[in-house]
Amino acid sequence: MNEADIKTLEQAVATATTPKEHITMLNRLSEGLLMLDVERARTTAMEALQEAREHGEKLGEGLSLGSLAAVANRQGNHEQAISYGLDAVEILESLGADRLLLPVLESLDIAYWRLGNLSLSLEYHLRELRLCNALGEQEHYARVLNGLAILYTEMNDHPKALKYVEESLQVFRDLNNDYREALSLNNMGYILMQMGEHERALKSALQSLKVAEEGGHSLLIVTASSTLGELYLHMNAYDKMQEQLSISLDILKKYPDPNRELNTLLLLGRMRRQMEDPKTAIPYLLEAKILGEKTQNKQALHQTYEHLAHAYAEIGDYKEAFQYHQQFHILKEEIYNEKSNKQVHQLESNHRLEAAEKEAAHYAELYQSEQLRRQLTEILHEMGQVLTGTLDLDGILEQILDQLVVLVQYDRGALLWWQGDRFVFVATQGYAEEDDPVQIALDLDLDDDEDLLIQVCRTAHPVTKQETNPEDTKYWEYLGKPGAWLGAPLIHQGRVQGILSLTRDFPYEEEAITLAKMFAAQVSITLTNARYYEQLQRQAEEMRTLTQVAEDVLATLELKDVLARIGHHTHGLFQADHTTLWLQETQNGNSVLRAIVALGEYAQQFQQSVIPFGHGIAGQVATAGQAEIVRGDDKRGQHVAGTPEEEDPMSIMVVPIRGRTGVIGVMSLYRLMRKGHFEQEELTFVEGLARQAAIAIENARLYEQIRGFNEQLEAEVAARTADLQVAYQQLERLDRTKSDFIEVTAHELRTPITVLQGYSQLLEYDNSIKSNEYHLNLVQGIVAGAKRMHKIVNTMLMMIKIDSRSLEIHPKPLPVRRVIKALAEELDTPLQDRNMNLVIDDSLSNLPEIEGDLEALLMVWRHLLMNGIKYTPDGGTIEIVGEYSERHSKLGGHPGITIGVRDTGIGIPKESLELIFEKFYQTGEVAHHSSGEVKFKGGGSGLGLAIARGIVEAHGGALWAESDGYDEENLPGSVFWAVLPTKPYNVLPA
């Protein structure tokens, strides 16, 4: 039992609703805990005992006492185990609970054996044998055999012990009880070791360990390991012994067992002494001594004292050696006295053992007889299950004859079934291939009362002939050579349906006749079931056909394929000789039927024929819309050209195929009359197939229409796609032309603007101009206009570089706050003209330096600040904030800074938050365009934000805008965020 089973039992204890149920589950839990946690098993059993006594539950009390007896044995308290066990036996015997006595008797035989009282141990073994035979308890019977093997080992009768343990091992293997199998293998290994057969013992012990490990039986692993350890000690295989016993100690830490641990430690101490290493032997032996004194295991303690005395002497500590030598001799004297007393008991036991062996042999004989009876019953039961559990007569009858020979020995067996007016051999056994009469039919003369087969039919009872002669029946060549013959009738509803025939050389006893009769009755049941099964099989085949047809209808929309599949399914299912599917079409304004699918010998002739509606059987069914079953000689039939004029009589089934608008086809099946006339059930089924065919036809026609529409639509889409492609190419050319025009224009304007700037600046500084205020104003206007034009041209060229990804970035370390502050001073005049306030937040002071192109980034922040000034009314505020992030999401987790330019202006429509970064995008009407750089809502070239984003992205950063919307009254404002890496890592290529 594993931990999962324990949890299940604990849940059952917790959910018990009555005292009786609670006590029962506590006892089961105690039993489950016995091999896992013996102390907890004891407290659980004690709780069950107290509760049983409180509620007067005698059965629960008896079971609890039995559990406590098993626990006491596990803890080495064998006197207490006997006390609990005897009380449990008294209660359970008074209640007549014989089956529940077995584990209690087992606890008692173990306790007496542990205490050396072999006589009483044998007595309880014999009680268990008697009870096992009475109850048919095969597993416990084998456990008793194992106990007897241990008893004979104690008496040094190892051959007899080996015999018992081998018998128990075979039973446990037959029962697939791996726990007991492992235990028996271990006991066998121990017995063989005592006999000095170390190789056989090792093989058995290793098998025991393997079975215990595969079954997960932890304490059995320890037991097998101990046996292996002692074997390895005899064989001087110290490494293997150490490895095996270390595994045992690890297991015992999880599942404590003082006696097993004591034995393991003692073996390890013995091994170290044998290896001439007494110093390392002593710790093992001292641990064994503590456990031996705790468990009062005198035999083990006696050995431990002896080895400790020798170990201390070997290391020169004679004081300790003398002390343990004294304790060894004191205990030796106690054990000697106990052995003397046991020898007295043994003399008594020897006399009883001889009688007990005879009694055990008697019980074994009774057990074997009971097992044979039980086996016969089980075989009959299995035969009944086989007969009634399957309906495949072709295979099952031969299988039954194979099984029958176990119960009734015979040389030749046969099953004959009544078919029509003859008996047919349907199954045989024991015949040579050349003599096998299977499928041979016998024409019986029912008036021949002397024939053995006729006697079986007339009497409807088994007939036996212990010494047959040739005159008994004329069918010996089929039934087998004369000898002893047994015939049993197969009867159903009072009628003989068949005969079971068995022949052999020696007479049939009464038991064989009874078994054959029982067998024949089972076969009769099978015959009845088979008839019903044949009908069910036919219905199942029809359902499978309907399902397959439905799948075929869904699998393809090709009309001919679907109809061909329907035709083949129908043709095979009904064993038709000809099958045709006709489809309605129009010829010269009249409806006709044309064969789309034709199967059979004359398929080609049918496919070449056309039937007008109203003509022939198919034409009339199509007109009337009613299915019919007719004979082939029906006068309405029409001869199909190319087929024989005279044919064997046929049965014809014709079914209309109805669509949404009426009959759209006909399905017709032809079958030779000798195969059977079509029945109404078959007609109903074919009508279902016709409905499936109608669905297929309608789907196929709709598919053809849809496919036509799709082809037309695809053609139109292709034409529109071509038009769009042409338009797209034109737009591409226009865009390239526009970009080329801008680039050429910008380059062409730079030269005259440069000349204009140079001459105007010369005029500005000319003394004659400076002395004339009017002329000076005119020249300064020219200088300002030239500067403005120069800036516009540079903006256009910058945009061209960004578009062509040819913008070159020259990064250098930049202190962000200092650069922005310098730019603020540059814009001081326009800010004062508009009465606006520019706030540089302290957060910029904490920003690290970045690697960037000074001129390019100045252009970015200048555009963002000028944008804020333009779209913020007079008296507004512009604020610049900053933030540093070690892993910025916009930079793929790289470090970077975020600069925000926030204004208190009119805001941006949400749908325009991305559009404002497009080239030449204007927020207002172009007709109202103003050339003022800082004028409220003044227009510009429409390139500033596009350039700003291009420069930021060229640095590997990102630029975007946020706003709650556009509102000139409430002024929601907007903010532009620029994210820049501290070091460039994703700049655009030059």
Side-chain angles (χ1 to χ4, degrees), residues 444-714:
L444 297 183
D445 182 1
L446 299 180
D447 295 327
D448 186 0
D449 293 337
E450 299 300 322
D451 190 282
L452 292 177
L453 295 177
I454 301 302
Q455 290 179 28
V456 174
C457 294
R458 288 203 179 278
T459 62
H461 286 287
V463 173
T464 56
K465 193 78 172 178
Q466 305 294 10
E467 294 184 10
T468 60
N469 57 67
E471 290 74 28
D472 289 329
T473 180
K474 58 184 177 181
Y475 302 112
W476 281 128
E477 61 176 308
Y478 305 119
L479 299 178
K481 62 181 180 179
W485 181 80
L486 169 60
L490 310 178
I491 302 172
H492 174 60
Q493 294 183 348
R495 293 181 56 197
V496 175
Q497 299 286 336
I499 297 174
L500 167 64
S501 168
L502 303 174
T503 60
R504 70 184 189 189
D505 291 334
F506 56 96
Y508 288 98
E509 63 279 4
E510 197 62 38
E511 183 182 7
I513 298 171
T514 302
L515 290 171
K517 182 178 179 181
M518 294 170 64
F519 167 77
Q522 292 284 9
V523 173
S524 300
I525 294 171
T526 302
L527 285 171
T528 304
N529 292 342
R531 290 184 179 130
Y532 292 130
Y533 180 63
E534 186 177 356
Q535 295 176 6
L536 290 173
Q537 271 191 315
R538 179 59 177 270
Q539 293 173 2
E541 185 61 31
E542 290 176 352
M543 291 304 298
R544 281 194 293 269
T545 302
L546 276 176
T547 302
Q548 188 60 55
V549 167
E551 290 177 358
D552 290 342
V553 169
L554 296 173
T556 179
L557 291 168
E558 293 296 334
L559 183 58
K560 286 188 177 180
D561 288 347
V562 176
L563 294 181
R565 293 179 187 182
I566 293 174
H568 279 286
H569 287 309
T570 310
H571 190 74
L573 181 63
F574 294 103
Q575 298 181 331
D577 292 283
H578 303 291
T579 300
T580 309
L581 271 76
W582 310 84
L583 206 57
Q584 181 267 345
E585 63 179 48
T586 302
Q587 280 188 359
N588 302 323
N590 297 317
S591 293
V592 298
L593 295 172
R594 182 179 296 279
I596 302 299
V597 175
L599 302 170
E601 187 179 356
Y602 304 108
Q604 186 176 357
Q605 288 82 348
F606 274 89
Q607 284 183 324
Q608 293 173 352
S609 62
V610 174
I611 300 174
F613 266 51
H615 291 254
I617 301 171
Q620 288 193 13
V621 167
T623 302
Q626 294 294 324
E628 290 190 47
I629 297 176
V630 298
R631 292 177 60 88
D633 56 2
D634 191 292
K635 295 180 179 180
R636 295 173 296 167
Q638 285 189 329
H639 180 257
V640 177
T643 61
E645 291 285 347
E646 294 183 4
E647 294 184 274
D648 291 338
M650 283 196 168
S651 179
I652 303 173
M653 182 163 49
V654 186
V655 176
I657 301 173
R658 295 184 184 85
R660 290 178 297 173
T661 58
V663 175
I664 58 175
V666 169
M667 185 184 301
S668 58
L669 286 84
Y670 301 75
R671 186 166 71 194
L672 294 172
M673 288 295 292
R674 65 171 180 266
K675 293 183 180 179
H677 188 65
F678 283 120
E679 302 293 341
Q680 183 61 40
E681 293 81 4
E682 295 173 311
L683 180 67
T684 302
F685 180 73
V686 174
E687 285 181 312
L689 290 178
R691 286 191 288 273
Q692 296 282 3
I695 294 171
I697 294 167
E698 296 284 359
N699 288 347
R701 287 176 176 173
L702 286 172
Y703 173 68
E704 288 297 327
Q705 293 177 6
I706 292 170
R707 186 161 61 179
F709 291 148
N710 285 342
E711 290 174 355
Q712 181 181 354
L713 183 60
E714 286 175 3

Side-chain angles (χ1 to χ4, degrees), residues 645-930:
E645 291 285 347
E646 294 183 4
E647 294 184 274
D648 291 338
M650 283 196 168
S651 179
I652 303 173
M653 182 163 49
V654 186
V655 176
I657 301 173
R658 295 184 184 85
R660 290 178 297 173
T661 58
V663 175
I664 58 175
V666 169
M667 185 184 301
S668 58
L669 286 84
Y670 301 75
R671 186 166 71 194
L672 294 172
M673 288 295 292
R674 65 171 180 266
K675 293 183 180 179
H677 188 65
F678 283 120
E679 302 293 341
Q680 183 61 40
E681 293 81 4
E682 295 173 311
L683 180 67
T684 302
F685 180 73
V686 174
E687 285 181 312
L689 290 178
R691 286 191 288 273
Q692 296 282 3
I695 294 171
I697 294 167
E698 296 284 359
N699 288 347
R701 287 176 176 173
L702 286 172
Y703 173 68
E704 288 297 327
Q705 293 177 6
I706 292 170
R707 186 161 61 179
F709 291 148
N710 285 342
E711 290 174 355
Q712 181 181 354
L713 183 60
E714 286 175 3
E716 292 180 1
V717 168
R720 297 296 180 273
T721 303
D723 293 342
L724 287 172
Q725 188 66 30
V726 171
Y728 178 71
Q729 291 172 355
Q730 290 176 348
L731 286 173
E732 276 191 327
R733 284 196 299 272
L734 287 173
D735 191 55
R736 284 197 302 271
T737 302
K738 179 186 69 174
S739 297
D740 292 344
F741 171 74
I742 293 171
E743 186 174 9
V744 170
T745 301
H747 280 289
E748 289 299 323
L749 287 173
R750 283 188 100 175
T751 302
I753 289 172
T754 302
V755 174
L756 182 60
Q757 274 186 308
Y759 284 122
S760 62
Q761 287 174 359
L762 287 173
L763 288 173
E764 186 179 11
Y765 292 104
D766 187 88
N767 291 327
S768 60
I769 298 297
K770 286 181 178 180
S771 61
N772 188 322
E773 185 178 355
Y774 173 72
H775 289 161
L776 181 61
N777 287 336
L778 292 175
V779 171
Q780 286 178 342
I782 294 170
V783 171
K787 284 183 179 178
R788 179 77 184 276
M789 289 180 66
H790 187 265
K791 186 183 293 185
I792 291 171
V793 168
N794 283 344
T795 299
M796 293 168 65
L797 289 172
M798 177 67 78
M799 193 69 248
I800 293 298
K801 289 180 181 179
I802 290 171
D803 277 349
S804 62
R805 302 181 72 82
S806 61
L807 177 63
E808 293 185 3
I809 298 297
H810 303 287
K812 293 180 182 178
L814 293 179
V816 177
R817 188 175 189 279
R818 193 183 308 168
V819 172
I820 290 177
K821 194 169 183 182
L823 182 61
E825 292 174 357
E826 177 186 326
L827 297 175
D828 186 57
T829 302
L831 288 167
Q832 288 183 7
D833 291 344
R834 296 283 309 283
N835 191 27
M836 298 179 73
N837 186 27
L838 177 63
V839 178
I840 300 176
D841 191 74
D842 291 340
S843 58
L844 267 66
S845 302
N846 301 322
L847 297 180
E849 287 187 344
I850 65 170
E851 295 280 335
D853 189 309
L854 176 60
E855 292 298 326
L857 291 177
L858 276 173
M859 187 178 292
V860 171
W861 288 318
R862 184 181 289 109
H863 280 307
L864 296 181
L865 286 170
M866 294 297 289
N867 188 77
I869 294 171
K870 276 187 182 182
Y871 294 101
T872 301
D874 294 353
T877 300
I878 296 173
E879 184 182 13
I880 304 176
V881 297
E883 183 183 6
Y884 172 70
S885 175
E886 294 233 353
R887 288 191 177 92
H888 205 294
S889 60
K890 294 282 187 179
L891 300 175
H894 292 281
I897 65 170
T898 303
I899 303 294
V901 179
R902 183 181 289 116
D903 61 51
T904 58
I906 60 178
I908 306 169
K910 288 187 178 294
E911 64 273 12
S912 301
L913 287 173
E914 274 299 311
L915 292 174
I916 60 176
F917 293 100
E918 296 291 331
K919 293 181 295 183
F920 307 113
Y921 180 79
Q922 298 289 337
T923 56
E925 293 289 336
V926 177
H928 301 150
H929 183 84
S930 169

Side-chain angles (χ1 to χ4, degrees), residues 264-307:
T264 304
L265 292 168
L266 181 57
L267 281 171
L268 285 167
R270 288 172 58 192
M271 179 191 75
R272 290 295 177 180
R273 275 205 63 228
Q274 192 164 309
M275 292 171 65
E276 298 182 355
D277 187 5
K279 190 172 183 180
T280 59
I282 290 172
Y284 290 122
L285 294 170
L286 287 174
E287 285 189 65
K289 177 184 82 77
I290 293 170
L291 287 171
E293 291 171 346
K294 181 179 178 181
T295 59
Q296 292 297 303
N297 190 331
K298 293 181 181 179
Q299 289 289 345
L301 199 55
H302 168 254
Q303 293 183 51
T304 304
Y305 288 154
E306 181 183 14
H307 285 288

